Amino acid sequence: DMEFSGQRIVFVLGGPGSGKGTQCSKIVDEFGYVHLSAGDLLREEVARGSEKGQLISEIMKDGRLVPQEITIQLLRDAMRYHKDCPGFLIDGFPREIQQGMQFEKEVVESDFLLFFECSEEVMEERLLKRSKTSGRADDNIETIKKRFGTFVEKTLPVINYYGQHDKVKKIDANREVNEVFTDVLSLFGGLPAKKATKIKKKN
Ligand code: AP5
């Protein structure tokens, strides 16, 4: 599939509250990437009030993972709106190995996986602080614990899997926002430009 082959594809993972969204919006400001958060796309679907949205809402409230067909379709549809951006930050995806394999088969291969490593203690503190104002149905201590469980059980194996293929770039996310971003900057700033694949002319 050549559809997105000239664009850099970065998977962004980390536990709930590790700061994925925060760092992604800073990368967008600095490098013009498009940020697609699987969680945001799912929340938009819930807000539309569709039948599918109803199902998604129940799963999210329980801290489990929605079926991969739904997430992959939402991501692909969103990507098609941004044919000209230098790259995509695909945030909160893939949360299980099978999701990643299916996406890379059906949509496009990833270049690398950015992993924001953070202790559970720090993540919990951030999320409980945010819960006062976020309005998110999953920002309560009970669901937060379940989200941690899902991350450990399903998503850490994804990071190990991509690590075995030498595709993980790990950043210590326990520090304050700008300290974390310093590492992000040096990583992205040091990447060679990804050239668009040339299409051979046939006469
Ligand atoms: P999703 O929306 O992805 O939530 P999450 O992974 O739990 O992550 P958060 O958005 O809560 O946190 P974040 O890491 O982005 O941190 P943020 O920058 O916001 O997923 C929600 C649900 O959707 C899942 O549970 C699942 O049900 C479903 N889902 C999503 N993707 C799916 C998929 N691929 N497949 C199936 N289901 C899927 O920061 C958090 C807080 O901390 C903020 O208040 C922020 O201001 C603060 N903060 C950030 N960085 C720092 C710092 N360095 N120091 C101090 N405070 C900080």
Side-chain angles (χ1 to χ4, degrees), residues 22-158:
T22 302
Q23 296 296 326
C24 281
S25 66
K26 292 172 80 71
I27 299 168
V28 168
D29 291 347
E30 193 73 28
F31 298 102
Y33 280 50
V34 165
H35 173 210
L36 297 176
S37 151
D40 286 349
L41 291 170
L42 291 167
R43 278 183 286 277
E44 282 165 23
E45 190 62 37
V46 171
R48 277 194 276 275
S50 62
E51 214 169 289
K52 203 199 283 173
Q54 191 62 41
L55 167 80
I56 296 170
S57 159
E58 278 161 31
I59 295 173
M60 286 175 90
K61 261 182 224 153
D62 202 33
R64 289 177 289 125
L65 300 179
V66 309
Q68 67 186 34
E69 298 74 32
I70 297 179
T71 322
I72 291 173
Q73 198 192 330
L74 288 170
L75 283 171
R76 188 197 337 231
D77 289 350
M79 287 171 77
R80 288 189 166 141
Y81 277 102
H82 303 280
K83 295 266 190 217
D84 299 324
C85 71
F88 292 100
L89 302 165
I90 307 196
D91 164 6
F93 184 94
R95 280 173 132 101
E96 48 190 343
I97 291 175
Q98 193 52 39
Q99 277 186 8
M101 307 226 320
Q102 194 65 20
F103 179 89
E104 297 201 320
K105 191 170 135 207
E106 276 182 24
V107 185
V108 63
E109 243 190 77
S110 63
D111 291 285
F112 62 90
L113 187 159
L114 185 57
F115 172 36
F116 290 107
E117 190 177 48
C118 199
S119 76
E120 187 168 322
E121 203 184 3
V122 169
M123 294 191 281
E124 184 177 305
E125 192 187 310
R126 289 179 190 168
L127 289 177
L128 287 177
K129 194 169 161 201
R130 184 178 73 180
S131 70
K132 293 172 192 149
T133 54
S134 75
R136 265 177 60 166
D138 61 352
D139 272 353
N140 57 77
I141 188 65
E142 195 193 341
T143 311
I144 289 169
K145 295 281 187 201
K146 287 183 179 170
R147 286 156 67 195
F148 285 145
T150 303
F151 175 72
V152 170
E153 187 192 335
K154 310 261 175 162
T155 309
L156 277 181
V158 177

Side-chain angles (χ1 to χ4, degrees), residues 168-184:
V168 174
K169 307 203 187 279
K170 184 166 79 175
I171 286 180
D172 175 4
N174 292 288
R175 300 161 297 160
E176 59 109 352
V177 174
N178 287 317
E179 277 181 87
V180 178
F181 192 59
T182 302
D183 285 0
V184 172

